[in-house]
Amino acid sequence: MTTAVVDTTDTQGAPTSSSTAVPLSSLRHGAHARVLAVSEEHSTQLAHRLADLGMEPGRVVEVGRRAPMGDPTVYRVASYSLSLRRRDAALVLVEEIA
C-alpha cells in the first residue's frame, strides 16, 4: 500500500507549496475538501498515522463540529468521524471542493 506522506520541504529545508493547497485546519465548518498530501514537517510517525487513519490523496473530507474552544475538530473521512487537534490537522494539505 502506498502512503499519503510527502516531504513538503525543498532541498534547503524551506517549505514548498501549491497554489491550491491549504491546511485542513484552515477550513470552515461544513466545508468539503480533497486530500492532496500529508506533511512530514513535524513528525514522520504522525504523518504515517494520519495516512493510516484515511488521510490519503484523493479522499474527500468534510469539516464537522468543533469543540467549544475551537480545538479539536471532528472530520468526516471515508465512512467514519475522526477528531484531530488543529496542529495535527494542519499537516494535512487539501484543496477545497464545492
Side-chain angles (χ1 to χ4, degrees):
M1 176 181 199
T2 333
T3 63
V5 178
V6 296
D7 182 3
T8 58
T9 57
D10 64 16
T11 55
Q12 277 75 36
T16 59
S17 64
S18 169
S19 61
T20 60
V22 296
L24 180 60
S25 60
S26 71
L27 299 180
R28 71 192 182 294
H29 176 268
H32 290 81
R34 184 175 334 282
V35 176
L36 298 176
V38 178
S39 171
E40 291 183 326
E41 186 176 325
H42 298 293
S43 165
T44 302
Q45 251 184 328
L46 178 58
H48 284 282
R49 181 68 179 140
L50 290 171
D52 290 344
L53 290 170
M55 296 295 179
E56 301 173 328
R59 280 274 169 95
V60 174
V61 179
E62 178 183 359
V63 181
R65 63 190 181 277
R66 294 191 197 279
M69 298 298 284
D71 201 28
T73 299
V74 174
Y75 298 95
R76 183 105 175 125
V77 59
S79 60
Y80 55 90
S81 296
L82 179 64
S83 180
L84 294 175
R85 290 184 215 116
R86 186 176 296 135
R87 70 174 185 231
D88 297 340
L91 297 176
V92 181
L93 301 176
V94 298
E95 64 178 344
E96 193 166 4
I97 56 177

